[in-house]
Amino acid sequence: QAQVPVQTTGITNSGWATNKGICTPWQAAAALKANGELYTWCDPVGNGVSGQGSNAYRIPTRLGSDYWKLARGMYVGMAAINTSGNLYTWGHGENYMTGLNSTSNVTTPQLCSSATDWYDLGQSQDSELGGVGFRRIPYKGEVWKGLQSYWSFETTGTTIYDKVGFRTLTASNVTWSASGKRGNCPVMNGSTSSLLTVGTDTYHNTDVATGSISMWIKVPLNTSNAMLFFSAEGWIELGADVNTGYPIGQSDGGVFDTFGTTSICDNNWHHLVYTWTASLGKLYIDGAAPIEKTQANAPTPDSSASRTSGIGCNWNGNYYYNGSIDEVAFWANKVLSASDVAVLYNSGNGLFY
């Protein structure tokens, strides 16, 4: 055991990618060279973590002939993205940690996804996470940067946890359906249903000068109300006009703007993404090109945080939403691009984050 830095032997010690760091899952390690070559080494037990098959190299040894741009340790396993944007994993298969839908150990890199636009990887080495060690499964593109809150609504009941931030919701008079856009979803009755933050919303209550909201909704035909999202952070609202069913958006505390002339109150799932700046609001409907509206002001943050934030009604219990809602997400200080929206829309299939 070396208690001071010792230079490795048996390999040319130059050309390492200093900005990539070293990947150190349990029982193994890896390092990436600036030219894209990935080197691994491991404990003799290994569990295949080095990706070198049955070999247990004790000095850095190049992994195959591929070229890589990123590697991360995942407890007793590794994940890496090659220069073509493909995601590969290998290592201990317990609790499906390799993401390959198998509990078998994998001793060489295996293609984990058919997608070719993988961009980044999270990292966890905490054994207590078990199969959730891959919960930071690689980000696709940059769509998840700046994400502040996300509710997938997979856990039914009265307490709905924010999977990214700290906005826990309390569900009141909500029924649950297993026929959401992705898994479960809440169904709101248009008169008493609400999903409100627990207590006042003090989280990021000044971060709304620019932002984005994404959600899937299914509104009944000829509904009486379809106001969908309210935030105490500057009157950010999104939904459908109560008279025409046309999509609406508002982020400046002024009059609702309608976007387009097609009703979304047709009992079908629709994807809405609303982005705003101080002068412009954009609404993307079902992945199509955005409809733009100028606006007078950016949202005015409620710095006193004296209100709750909510989904399905406003903070004082007005404008209740009638319909189903799923996969709600909020970005602070980030305006999603058209390519980001395309990732979220996912050809109409939606996306678990």
Side-chain angles (χ1 to χ4, degrees), residues 8-204:
T8 59
T9 60
I11 188 171
T12 302
N13 279 294
S14 62
W16 298 99
T18 57
N19 63 324
K20 299 293 185 180
I22 294 179
C23 166
T24 55
W26 190 45
Q27 295 182 328
L32 189 64
K33 281 202 166 188
N35 64 2
E37 295 177 355
L38 181 63
Y39 289 76
T40 65
W41 59 102
C42 70
D43 180 285
V45 176
N47 287 307
V49 187
S50 70
Q52 302 279 5
S54 60
N55 300 306
Y57 295 108
R58 296 191 180 188
I59 61 173
T61 303
R62 186 179 176 187
L63 180 63
S65 58
D66 210 341
Y67 290 89
W68 308 85
K69 61 181 180 180
L70 187 65
R72 288 285 185 265
M74 301 286 189
Y75 181 41
V76 193
M78 291 190 198
I81 300 171
N82 67 9
T83 53
S84 298
N86 300 114
L87 171 64
Y88 287 80
T89 62
W90 61 93
H92 198 41
E94 183 181 4
N95 297 317
Y96 299 91
M97 284 188 288
T98 59
L100 296 169
N101 196 30
S102 171
T103 57
S104 299
N105 293 350
V106 178
T107 61
T108 58
Q110 300 296 310
L111 188 65
C112 187
S113 167
S114 60
T116 59
D117 56 352
W118 294 98
Y119 170 80
D120 200 359
L121 290 160
Q123 180 164 332
S124 175
Q125 297 171 198
D126 189 343
S127 62
E128 294 181 359
L129 290 177
V132 189
F134 267 54
R135 70 172 195 247
R136 294 177 185 265
I137 281 285
Y139 304 146
K140 294 182 69 177
E142 298 189 7
V143 67
W144 280 271
K145 290 185 176 180
L147 182 63
Q148 299 297 338
S149 290
Y150 165 55
W151 302 273
S152 66
F153 301 116
E154 292 313 300
T155 301
T156 61
T158 58
T159 301
I160 313 300
Y161 292 103
D162 183 343
K163 297 183 70 174
V164 174
F166 302 98
R167 288 185 172 98
T168 299
L169 302 177
T170 295
S172 299
N173 300 311
V174 170
T175 58
W176 291 92
S177 170
S179 300
K181 184 61 185 180
R182 303 282 296 188
N184 297 322
C185 75
V187 182
M188 312 184 79
N189 62 24
S191 59
T192 60
S193 299
S194 65
L195 294 161
L196 297 176
T197 51
V198 177
T200 55
D201 188 351
T202 59
Y203 182 55
H204 285 295

Side-chain angles (χ1 to χ4, degrees), residues 201 205-206 208 231-235 299-308:
D201 188 351
N205 63 359
T206 59
V208 291
S231 171
E233 304 174 80
W235 291 82
T300 302
D302 182 1
S303 59
S304 66
S306 59
R307 301 171 180 171
T308 56

